[in-house]
Amino acid sequence: MNRRDGEKVEARFAAYVAGLAGVLGHADRIGPLRDYCTGLVLPGERKSVEPMAAKTAPARTAAQHQSLLHFVGVASWSDEKVLAKVREMVLPAMERQGPIEAWIIDDTGFPKQGKHSVGVQHQYCGQLGKEANCQVAVSLSIANHSASLPVAYRLYLPKEWNKDRVRRNKTGVPRDITFKTKPEIALDQIRWGCEAGLPRGVALMDGAYGTDSRLRTGMTALGVSYVVGIQPKILVWPPGTGPRRRGRPLNNTGRRDEPDLISAKRLAHGLPKDAWHTIRWREGSSEWLSSRFARVRVRVGHTQLKPELLSEEWLLIEWPVGEVEPTKYWLSTLPADIGLRELVDLAKLRWRIERDYLELKQEVGLGHFEGRGWRGFHHATMCIAAYGFLISERETIPPSRPRSTTILPTSVLPDGYRPRGSPLAA
């Protein structure tokens, strides 16, 4: 990057921060906002408050540390207003590459050593691939094939925390925050997306959410089409069968007494060879990604709807060559005339959320904040804001340059500086 290009980037960054500053409420927050965002986009292994203070104000690190800590852990600015402003400024850059195609629901975990940080519990942590002591947050992202951006972000508060007034008060959990399951939080976010007038997209989510019938029913009631992962044991009526055709009353046991109900896995194994087609959906790092897929129109056996309201959906199944059985299953309410390749392409677009979280954690330090309180999740909002600027800058970076190119000049750290936690500080 030459000097002229660097000056242009700095000018765009300043304009971006000025846009965010307009929703903070107090003029004295503008400086910490600028410095916090700057610290997040500068290179560095650790994006917690202390190292960012050293990089953004090397001559007065202690004072800067206190300023940034107050801004992200104490100040009462609105996360929702900042995220809305980020969306307003970044969405045009995303839509220049194509319309919004998907709303992606997912969650991410943050491993923690102690037990005092808000929402920490022994639970499944996707980052570690196992149950561990961690915090979990649920998010909604808007996406197309070129980019994706988180637009809603909420900490999951386990039941044990919801009932514990002492811990709630100590960590500043707002009174209106009550226990909700992750699918319930997801449905709230989708409902909010509809009310906020987000550009409509097909809802995408993995089996941890897609298997929840209340969530699927809720999305349909909101007029939101979906392609969601499910478990192979889910029960369906194959083509030509169903409760309306047989006229049997529904029961409250999952309709297991219906003789036509079979598992998605059993249905997949019974499909003829000509039902399977090899589909390519996107270009990977070295070659096109492809696999074998089949799809069938089914009705899902769940207790959330009356028989006359059960509609046909697509059951999409992936069975890669060489595997002994199918590996993935999806349900979709997309139209009956949608092409198989388009259906597969949308199902696989969920990979963008995995890229989101990888870059949010590696590039801008999403999991690095060390505070314990509810308001400390301001850090996540700032990370999303910084990530939004990087998204808007990607179209200005030539293809020959890496995506993680440094876009702002780095300050020289003071001599002898060693952040807490560094092995050099021991």
Side-chain angles (χ1 to χ4, degrees):
M1 180 186 298
N2 58 43
R3 180 177 178 180
R4 186 174 181 181
D5 288 342
E7 290 175 349
K8 290 180 178 179
V9 172
E10 289 187 59
R12 289 194 295 269
F13 182 74
Y16 183 81
V17 171
L20 296 177
V23 299
L24 285 184
H26 292 281
D28 58 0
R29 294 173 185 164
I30 297 176
L33 165 69
R34 180 194 61 244
D35 293 342
Y36 208 95
C37 287
T38 299
L40 292 173
V41 299
L42 288 177
E45 293 184 3
R46 191 74 184 167
K47 302 292 180 72
S48 55
V49 174
E50 187 181 8
M52 291 197 299
K55 287 186 176 183
T56 56
R60 52 180 189 87
T61 300
Q64 180 75 331
H65 179 230
Q66 291 301 313
S67 174
L68 297 184
L69 199 59
H70 183 275
F71 173 73
V72 77
V74 179
S76 59
W77 49 268
S78 168
D79 294 283
E80 291 76 15
K81 289 181 179 179
V82 172
L83 289 178
K85 191 63 179 181
V86 171
R87 183 177 79 248
E88 176 188 321
M89 293 190 291
V90 177
L91 186 57
M94 293 178 63
E95 292 184 320
R96 279 195 288 271
Q97 308 302 316
I100 296 302
E101 300 168 89
W103 292 3
I104 309 178
I105 287 285
D106 204 4
D107 58 60
T108 189
F110 306 98
K112 295 290 181 180
Q113 295 298 323
K115 300 180 180 180
H116 301 291
S117 295
V118 61
V120 163
Q121 180 174 281
H122 194 78
Q123 56 193 319
Y124 181 78
C125 179
Q127 181 175 325
L128 302 177
K130 62 180 182 180
E131 288 196 357
N133 208 48
C134 67
Q135 295 169 311
V136 175
V138 180
S139 67
L140 166 64
S141 293
I142 53 175
N144 56 24
H145 278 71
S146 298
S148 55
L149 176 73
V151 293
Y153 190 90
R154 157 77 188 269
L155 176 69
Y156 167 69
L157 196 69
K159 281 185 177 180
E160 290 76 4
W161 272 84
N162 186 61
K163 300 174 182 177
D164 192 330
R165 289 187 178 182
V166 174
R167 286 201 294 180
R168 285 178 64 104
N169 292 336
K170 190 173 183 179
T171 55
V173 177
R175 292 184 178 181
D176 61 340
I177 298 297
T178 59
F179 172 74
K180 290 191 175 184
T181 65
K182 295 170 192 175
E184 285 172 341
I185 294 173
L187 185 57
D188 283 347
Q189 291 178 336
I190 290 171
R191 186 179 294 109
W192 164 83
C194 294
E195 294 171 352
L198 294 183
R200 281 299 179 105
V202 178
L204 309 179
M205 55 196 72
D206 65 16
Y209 292 89
T211 301
D212 191 295
S213 61
R214 290 180 176 85
L215 176 54
R216 298 198 311 270
T217 302
M219 288 189 289
T220 298
L222 290 168
V224 177
S225 299
Y226 58 73
V227 183
V228 298
I230 58 169
Q231 300 300 320
K233 64 182 180 181
I234 198 167
L235 299 176
V236 298
W237 279 283
T241 66
R244 287 184 295 180
R245 180 173 179 267
R246 300 188 63 85
R248 289 190 177 91
L250 298 183
N251 56 44
N252 294 318
T253 61
R255 306 182 185 91
R256 295 183 183 277
D257 58 337
E258 290 275 358
D260 292 329
L261 269 177
I262 62 174
S263 69
K265 180 177 180 178
R266 179 181 169 189
L267 188 154
H269 278 277
L271 293 176
K273 290 184 178 180
D274 61 6
W276 300 94
H277 305 274
T278 299
I279 301 293
R280 301 195 310 174
W281 63 89
R282 70 176 174 88
E283 192 171 1
S285 57
S286 59
E287 60 184 11
W288 276 85
L289 302 178
S290 66
S291 187
R292 289 194 315 161
F293 296 87
R295 60 176 180 168
V296 182
R297 297 292 282 174
V298 300
R299 288 184 174 88
V300 182
H302 61 68
T303 59
Q304 300 305 311
L305 293 176
K306 297 178 180 179
E308 61 271 18
L309 297 179
L310 288 174
S311 299
E312 285 191 333
E313 302 181 39
W314 282 116
L315 172 63
L316 176 67
I317 310 153
E318 180 180 358
W319 192 338
V321 174
E323 296 289 341
V324 297
E325 62 181 12
T327 56
K328 292 183 179 179
Y329 300 78
W330 296 266
L331 284 173
S332 175
T333 53
L334 287 169
D337 60 355
I338 190 173
L340 176 57
R341 189 191 182 285
E342 184 179 357
L343 182 59
V344 170
D345 184 59
L346 282 167
K348 292 294 186 177
L349 186 56
R350 204 191 72 81
W351 75 276
R352 291 225 62 99
I353 193 65
E354 297 171 0
R355 172 67 66 84
D356 266 347
Y357 280 135
L358 181 64
E359 294 189 341
L360 278 162
K361 290 180 177 181
Q362 292 186 350
E363 298 287 339
V364 295
L366 178 62
H368 292 172
F369 183 67
E370 297 166 349
R372 293 178 174 177
W374 180 274
R375 192 164 287 171
F377 269 71
H378 278 341
H379 175 75
T381 298
M382 286 294 99
C383 287
I384 293 170
Y387 187 59
F389 179 73
L390 296 179
I391 290 174
S392 64
E393 283 295 296
R394 280 176 185 165
E395 59 184 332
T396 70
I397 300 176
S400 59
R401 287 191 18 215
R403 288 163 57 95
S404 59
T405 301
T406 300
I407 61 173
L408 295 176
T410 304
S411 301
V412 177
L413 295 176
D415 292 338
Y417 172 75
R418 295 290 184 271
R420 288 177 294 180
S422 167
L424 297 176

